Amino acid sequence: GTLGLSADQVLHVAGSTTDVIGTKAAGLHCVWVNRQHDRVWDERYAADEEVEDVRGLLSVMSVAAR
């Protein structure tokens, strides 16, 4: 890609279930900030992680940094 990264080096932060589906269909890692507690439309394209708000990204990022 343009940034010289492989798909496994990219983390997309999704704001909706449609973001999640597109991200996972593209083969990228995905964290869904699911503020409304929406349901996943298609389990085949579920996010790798789901958090309630952006503060939840801190724990996801600290694990990814290890």
Side-chain angles (χ1 to χ4, degrees), residues 1 6-7 9 11-12 16 18 22-23 29 32-33 35 38-39 45-46 48-49 51-52 56 58 62 66:
S6 62
Q9 295 176 297
L11 175 65
H12 177 82
S16 71
T18 54
T23 302
H29 297 290
W32 182 12
V33 179
R35 293 179 182 99
D38 291 330
R39 302 182 86 184
Y45 301 104
D48 299 301
E49 299 282 340
V51 297
E52 290 187 7
L58 294 173
S62 68
R66 292 181 194 170

Side-chain angles (χ1 to χ4, degrees), residues 1 5-7 10 13 16 18 20 22 26-27 30 33 36-38 45 47 49 53 59 63 66:
L5 300 173
S6 62
V10 176
V13 178
S16 71
T18 54
V20 174
C30 181
V33 179
Q36 304 300 321
H37 305 283
D38 291 330
Y45 301 104
E49 299 282 340
D53 56 40
S59 62
V63 170
R66 292 181 194 170

